[in-house]
């Protein structure tokens, strides 16, 4: 991932925001993010595991925020589904409809995993997907922390 002089790497910023958030499951979220990185770096790499764990981190964070803000109570099976949680975040005003569409589209993109024939190597798609997933996590936790 590119670094910019004077700016912390995204993963460091994300960790700081998660630690500042007061949300439950921060330790578990950080473990999932670390597992995603480990899957990318191990030999042989597990690119699918890398993307799966990045997607799990994003989905888990959205659910934790929804619960913390009493947007979703998770009393039924429908309430634990990604689409339901995302829709509730939008209808509650936490995110806009356009942001919901962006998160939903990204989630569909990353769900293709390292198997997606986009003209990119498995390594490139895993790196891109992981960076985007962490960026979406950062976006959600920053919204949470600033409201």
């Amino acid at each position: 991932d590119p670094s910019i002089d004077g700016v912390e790497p995204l993963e460091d910023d994300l960790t700081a925001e998660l630690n500042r958030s007061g949300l439950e499951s921060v330790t578990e979220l950080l473990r999932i993010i670390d597992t995603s990185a480990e899957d990318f770096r191990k030999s042989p790499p597990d690119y699918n595991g890398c993307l799966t764990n990045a997607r799990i981190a994003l989905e888990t964070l959205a659910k934790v925020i929804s619960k913390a803000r009493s947007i979703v109570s998770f009393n039924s099976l429908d309430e634990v589904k990604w689409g339901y949680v995302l829709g509730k975040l939008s209808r509650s005003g936490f995110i806009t409809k356009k942001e919901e569409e962006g998160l939903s589209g990204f989630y569909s993109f990353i769900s293709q995993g390292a198997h997606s024939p986009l003209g990119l190597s498995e390594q490139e798609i895993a790196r891109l997907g992981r960076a985007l997933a962490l960026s979406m996590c950062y976006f959600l936790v920053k919204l949470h922390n600033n409201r």
Side-chain angles (χ1 to χ4, degrees):
D1 296 327
S3 53
I4 301 169
D5 289 337
V7 177
E8 290 294 318
L10 175 63
E11 202 159 342
D12 293 344
D13 284 342
L14 175 57
T15 298
E17 289 298 325
L18 285 169
N19 285 327
R20 191 171 77 90
S21 71
L23 293 167
E24 66 177 46
S25 305
V26 167
T27 301
E28 179 63 11
L29 281 163
L30 292 172
R31 186 197 62 75
I32 294 167
I33 291 167
D34 285 344
T35 300
S36 173
E38 290 166 12
D39 285 342
F40 187 87
R41 289 191 300 260
K42 70 182 171 183
S43 184
D46 180 2
Y47 298 130
N48 197 49
C50 170
L51 286 174
T52 297
N53 281 301
R55 188 182 76 229
I56 289 169
L58 176 60
E59 186 174 355
T60 301
L61 179 59
K63 289 176 180 179
V64 168
I65 289 171
S66 293
K67 184 178 177 188
R69 295 180 162 274
S70 300
I71 295 169
V72 178
S73 59
F74 298 106
N75 290 326
S76 74
L77 289 178
D78 282 341
E79 292 183 313
V80 298
K81 294 179 182 174
W82 168 250
Y84 181 88
V85 171
L86 206 51
K88 291 293 275 190
L89 285 172
S90 176
R91 287 187 296 281
S92 74
F94 182 76
I95 59 174
T96 67
K97 183 67 175 165
K98 288 284 188 199
E99 291 165 345
E100 175 190 359
E101 291 168 359
L103 285 161
S104 176
F106 166 73
Y107 191 84
S108 295
F109 171 77
I110 197 172
S111 294
Q112 298 293 319
H115 308 292
S116 184
L118 299 174
L120 299 173
S121 70
E122 286 184 77
Q123 180 185 37
E124 290 168 327
I125 196 70
R127 184 177 180 195
L128 172 64
R130 184 172 189 279
L132 290 171
L134 295 182
S135 294
M136 296 296 101
C137 286
Y138 182 76
F139 168 73
L140 287 175
V141 76
K142 281 294 284 190
L143 282 179
H144 171 75
N145 287 348
N146 291 325
R147 292 187 177 177

